[in-house]
Amino acid sequence: CATNISYFNRRNKVMGDVYTVDDFKQSVLDFNQRIGTKPIDKYLPREEQFAALRRQVNIIFEEVKELKDAVETCDSLEALDGVLDALFTVLPLPYIVQQMFDISGGMKAVAENNSLKYTTSFDEVAQWWDNNPNKEELLIDTNTVDGVRYHCVKNKAGKVMKFPNFPKVDLTQFI
């Protein structure tokens, strides 16, 4: 895909001030409150809770599909619109499910669990790769951050893979 628009190289400014991710998150929250989006009531029957969550998930999928279509056609303007619309629909999730789940605790547990997917030991990641039954479809990726080398196993699509016997994150305490 060739980029035909230079939006990605410019800083977005609103009324002379840099518009930050935090500003965007606040705008998303304000929008959702003003259009009547409310947290899912924890006292609703489970089926009603998940029906409400399903509505938001369907909106997210619609926006992600539009983003995918833009990426497939190398349309920079529609890709940017798709990225921002996808964020606009995903960012309200913690607000929407705040009574159903302990999102903060769950986020921390998932982040800690995901940090187990990389290591500073090349020998360890080489062993993960070697013990994977699909190793022909995988590669070892190395990145340096602040002078430290981190290694992980990725599939050909770039997804970071779990090593054999990877511990499943326990989210039961956050429901």
Side-chain angles (χ1 to χ4, degrees):
C1 296
T3 303
N4 56 9
I5 298 177
S6 63
Y7 290 128
F8 305 109
N9 298 325
R10 283 187 254 162
R11 296 180 85 178
N12 291 322
K13 296 196 175 211
V14 175
M15 294 185 279
D17 295 324
V18 174
Y19 189 73
T20 68
V21 172
D22 287 336
D23 294 331
F24 186 74
K25 286 167 40 178
Q26 186 61 54
S27 294
V28 170
L29 179 61
D30 292 346
F31 171 84
N32 279 277
Q33 290 174 332
R34 291 169 185 165
I35 67 165
T37 304
K38 295 181 176 30
I40 298 169
D41 188 333
K42 66 181 175 182
Y43 298 109
L44 285 174
R46 181 179 163 97
E47 295 77 25
E48 289 182 43
Q49 289 178 339
F50 280 88
L53 183 53
R54 190 175 305 111
R55 283 189 294 274
Q56 189 67 24
V57 168
N58 288 338
I59 293 167
I60 292 167
F61 269 92
E62 180 181 329
E63 297 299 343
V64 170
K65 184 191 176 307
E66 290 176 14
L67 171 58
K68 184 177 185 290
D69 292 345
V71 169
E72 298 288 331
T73 60
C74 299
D75 186 327
S76 297
L77 184 58
E78 289 303 315
L80 176 60
D81 181 63
V83 166
L84 298 172
D85 285 348
L87 281 172
F88 213 90
T89 59
V90 169
L91 286 173
L93 282 177
Y95 169 72
I96 292 169
V97 299
Q98 66 183 315
Q99 292 185 19
M100 291 175 65
F101 309 119
D102 172 5
I103 290 295
S104 179
M107 287 189 304
K108 184 175 186 229
V110 166
E112 289 171 353
N113 185 263
N114 277 335
S115 71
L116 300 175
K117 293 180 184 177
Y118 61 83
T119 179
T120 56
S121 168
F122 185 83
D123 291 340
E124 186 176 8
V125 83
Q127 184 178 11
W128 295 348
W129 176 84
D130 195 46
N131 291 334
N132 194 303
N134 301 317
K135 66 183 175 187
E136 296 80 28
E137 301 170 16
L138 305 174
L139 58 95
I140 296 174
D141 189 38
T142 300
N143 296 284
T144 303
V145 178
D146 296 329
V148 179
R149 294 176 63 110
Y150 296 94
H151 314 281
C152 64
V153 175
K154 292 183 179 180
N155 68 14
K156 291 179 181 176
K159 182 180 189 302
V160 177
M161 305 303 293
K162 298 173 183 174
F163 56 84
N165 301 313
F166 186 83
K168 183 168 174 58
V169 63
D170 180 10
L171 298 175
T172 54
Q173 63 185 317
F174 307 113
I175 296 176

